Amino acid sequence: PQVWDVEFIYTRPAWRGRGYASVLAAAYAADVLRQGKIPYYSSPANEASRCAVERAGFMVYRTRLCLVSANVK
């Protein structure tokens, strides 16, 4: 299967802290999984972005974040 990268997640400062980035990352991951591909996050140095994707179900694997499971409904 192909690997699709969640390369960049940005939330404008006025909208931060509301969980929007995590919801977006989870929806993206679920869509990628439905297509039979593997979602992958490659920017763990950005702490805010990393935290958002971890809340979405990604986990650290060999210093990278990979999706373990998605709440696909």
Side-chain angles (χ1 to χ4, degrees):
Q2 289 183 331
V3 175
W4 283 22
D5 189 11
V6 180
E7 186 175 332
F8 183 74
I9 297 174
Y10 176 80
T11 305
R12 291 178 178 224
W15 296 96
R16 291 180 185 165
R18 301 178 189 189
Y20 296 133
S22 295
V23 170
L24 179 63
Y28 172 80
D31 185 53
V32 169
L33 288 168
R34 274 193 290 275
Q35 295 178 48
K37 297 173 176 63
I38 300 168
Y40 174 78
Y41 179 73
S42 65
S43 300
N46 180 325
E47 186 175 350
S49 183
R50 181 184 49 77
C51 288
V53 297
E54 283 179 341
R55 286 190 297 273
F58 288 76
M59 64 174 278
V60 175
Y61 177 75
R62 294 187 184 180
T63 69
R64 299 287 188 192
L65 295 172
C66 302
L67 186 67
V68 174
S69 67
N71 295 326
V72 180
K73 295 180 182 181

